Amino acid sequence: MWDLFKAVVLGTIQGLTEFLPISSSAHLRIFPELFGWGDPGAAFTAVIQIGTELAVLIYFRKDIWNIGSSWVRSIFKPEYRGTLETRMGWFIIVGSLPIVVLGIALKDVIERDFRNLWIIATALVVMGVVLGIADRVSRNDRKIKNITLRDALLMGGAQALALIPGVSRSGATISMGRFLGFEREAATRFAFLLAIPAVVGAGLFELKEIPHGANSYGWGPTILATVVSFVVGYAAIAWLLRYVSTRSYTPFVIYRVVLGLATMALLTTGVLVA
């Protein structure tokens, strides 16, 4: 029962933080340590993210259907090849390549070295500042229909930085989108769509590790945490898209910096162990 309780808490943390530019993987590393639960493991973290990506699939089901069906039709019917939906399909595929390639190549480093709390705390602060700068200097005049292959590659490269916990997949992608001049809603929407192949792929790839001690939990708690992350994540998507349509990312920047510095202070005083 205690593991199930922890699964609910961790699933809630995952659902609340996955879509906000504050790094869900950092929270799933820092807060269990604060609670005295230890590191839940890279496999657990990757698998429960499937729940939040299922929320994306349902929330953006119309967009995803239009993109997917148009992309498939374009293979056989030339008249579909120039549509926005078809181009978006290719952009998501191409933009996903950097994180897939690096994720496979650096698997052992990601699961071992990158989970060091000093690295995570530093990433929270540095990428928080980057997000703040990007949001402030952005031209803010490009919509999602203006995206190009170059934009997709650059945002895909930024997303790959999220292999380091603390960077934030959505935060890195949104930061690059803002540097490229995209409106907040457009940058956020593309970040959500771009994450689908990478997150679902990583979760499925790590499924085999769940029963073999690569995480602190078995199938029951992992499945429960995944379900909870889906429910909470769905609500978080709707809220964030409404929020960024009228407001800046400044509160998230401040939160990231404060959490990063607080983690460093706790590490220095010995309350947390890296």
Side-chain angles (χ1 to χ4, degrees):
M1 289 300 295
W2 181 238
D3 278 354
L4 293 178
F5 170 77
K6 290 191 285 186
V8 171
V9 173
L10 296 177
T12 301
I13 291 173
Q14 166 63 25
L16 287 173
T17 59
E18 172 66 21
F19 304 114
L20 306 183
I22 56 177
S23 180
S24 62
S25 56
H27 284 73
L28 288 175
R29 181 70 180 90
I30 294 170
F31 283 91
E33 290 288 353
L34 280 175
F35 300 153
W37 299 347
D39 184 357
F44 177 85
T45 301
V47 171
I48 70 170
Q49 288 177 342
I50 293 176
T52 43
E53 288 313 302
L54 179 59
V56 172
L57 290 172
I58 294 176
Y59 190 89
F60 291 108
R61 60 190 179 278
K62 292 182 180 178
D63 291 16
I64 293 169
W65 171 259
N66 290 336
I67 291 170
S69 59
S70 181
W71 184 85
V72 171
R73 289 190 184 108
S74 73
I75 297 174
F76 307 101
K77 298 180 180 181
E79 61 267 26
Y80 283 94
R81 292 173 188 171
T83 66
L84 174 61
E85 289 79 11
T86 297
R87 289 188 290 114
M88 283 290 291
W90 282 114
F91 294 159
I92 291 171
I93 292 171
V94 171
S96 298
L97 292 178
I99 198 169
V100 171
V101 173
L102 290 175
I104 294 173
L106 300 175
K107 181 179 184 298
D108 292 338
V109 177
I110 294 166
E111 295 183 353
R112 184 182 64 250
D113 299 339
F114 285 177
R115 297 184 70 78
N116 181 283
L117 285 176
W118 280 109
I119 294 176
I120 293 172
T122 302
L124 280 168
V125 174
V126 172
M127 292 305 296
V129 173
V130 170
L131 175 62
I133 294 172
D135 197 36
R136 184 171 295 272
V137 304
S138 178
R139 298 196 313 272
N140 200 44
D141 60 359
R142 299 181 67 192
K143 300 182 182 298
I144 201 164
K145 66 181 180 181
N146 303 128
I147 192 170
T148 66
L149 180 60
R150 173 180 173 272
D151 298 327
L153 282 169
L154 288 172
M155 284 191 272
Q159 178 183 243
L161 294 174
L163 293 169
I164 303 172
V167 168
S168 170
R169 184 179 296 101
S170 62
T173 309
I174 289 168
S175 294
M176 181 57 73
R178 294 295 285 158
F179 277 127
L180 293 171
F182 284 95
E183 296 175 345
R184 293 189 185 98
E185 196 274 341
T188 303
R189 182 174 291 266
F190 186 71
F192 287 172
L193 294 173
L194 183 61
I196 293 172
V199 175
V200 173
L204 295 175
F205 184 74
E206 292 286 359
L207 276 175
K208 64 183 184 299
E209 303 291 344
I210 296 301
H212 298 299
N215 68 311
S216 300
Y217 304 91
W219 277 114
T222 301
I223 292 172
L224 178 59
T226 303
V227 172
V228 172
S229 73
F230 161 74
V231 175
V232 178
Y234 189 90
I237 296 173
W239 177 84
L240 182 60
L241 287 175
R242 286 196 302 271
Y243 178 90
V244 299
S245 64
T246 57
R247 302 179 187 178
S248 75
Y249 294 108
T250 301
F252 305 119
V253 172
I254 295 172
Y255 176 80
R256 289 181 63 106
V257 172
V258 170
L259 179 60
L261 293 177
T263 301
M264 291 179 185
L266 292 173
L267 287 167
T268 301
T269 57
V271 175
L272 289 178
V273 178

